């Protein structure tokens, strides 16, 4: 089994900053790609950013210049620094990791979700 420990999130005013973190541990052989997604109220889940050793960091257009994804890959941990937050950034943020399980099979693991609320 894989456990996910998340932290960060909360309430912030427009223009503020938050930092999310997510650590995956347990039955993991290797992690190849880590990512953040978000789901706004009444909308579908969307990609925020991904990061891997092959592609580096890739961002959705609306997050470029405001969000920064980073990893401590040796510890299977991914971070999301969010600056210049807007009302539209409100939602539940999910971390994701893709890699190999101990049986060398491809696997994808998800965090439970972190609430981010941007409001005046």
């Amino acid at each position: 089994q894989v456990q996910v420990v998340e932290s960060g999130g909360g309430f912030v005013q427009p223009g503020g900053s938050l930092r999310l973190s997510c650590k995956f541990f347990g039955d993991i052989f290797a992690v190849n790609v880590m990512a953040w997604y978000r789901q706004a109220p009444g909308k579908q889940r969307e990609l925020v950013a991904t990061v891997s050793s092959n592609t580096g960091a890739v961002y959705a257009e609306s997050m470029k210049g405001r969000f920064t994804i980073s990893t401590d890959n040796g510890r299977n941990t991914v971070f999301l620094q969010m600056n210049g937050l807007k009302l539209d950034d409100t939602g539940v943020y999910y971390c994701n990791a893709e890699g190999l399980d101990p049986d060398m099979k491809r696997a994808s693991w998800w965090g439970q979700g972190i609430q981010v609320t941007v409001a005046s």
Side-chain angles (χ1 to χ4, degrees):
Q1 290 188 347
V2 172
Q3 291 78 44
V4 184
V5 176
E6 302 168 299
S7 64
F11 177 92
V12 65
Q13 293 184 337
S17 298
L18 285 172
R19 179 177 172 86
L20 309 180
S21 68
C22 181
K23 178 177 174 63
F24 299 82
F25 60 98
D27 295 336
I28 296 173
F29 178 80
V31 172
N32 300 320
V33 181
M34 305 188 86
W36 288 95
Y37 291 76
R38 73 181 184 188
Q39 187 164 16
K43 295 186 178 181
Q44 291 186 333
R45 190 175 297 188
E46 64 175 344
L47 177 67
V48 173
T50 66
V51 62
S52 73
S53 58
N54 292 334
T55 65
V58 180
Y59 299 92
E61 193 64 33
S62 63
M63 288 70 163
K64 288 181 180 178
R66 299 190 300 124
F67 291 8
T68 302
I69 187 171
S70 61
T71 66
D72 180 355
N73 214 32
R75 298 184 178 183
N76 292 338
T77 303
V78 62
F79 307 95
L80 185 68
Q81 177 66 43
M82 303 185 291
N83 300 326
L85 283 162
K86 305 176 181 179
L87 298 176
D88 289 347
D89 293 320
T90 294
V92 179
Y93 285 68
Y94 297 91
C95 55
N96 172 260
E98 295 184 354
L100 299 174
D101 66 16
D103 294 326
M104 303 300 286
K105 295 180 180 178
R106 292 182 180 180
S108 180
W109 306 283
W110 288 90
Q112 298 89 347
I114 304 173
Q115 178 67 47
V116 171
T117 302
V118 184
S120 300

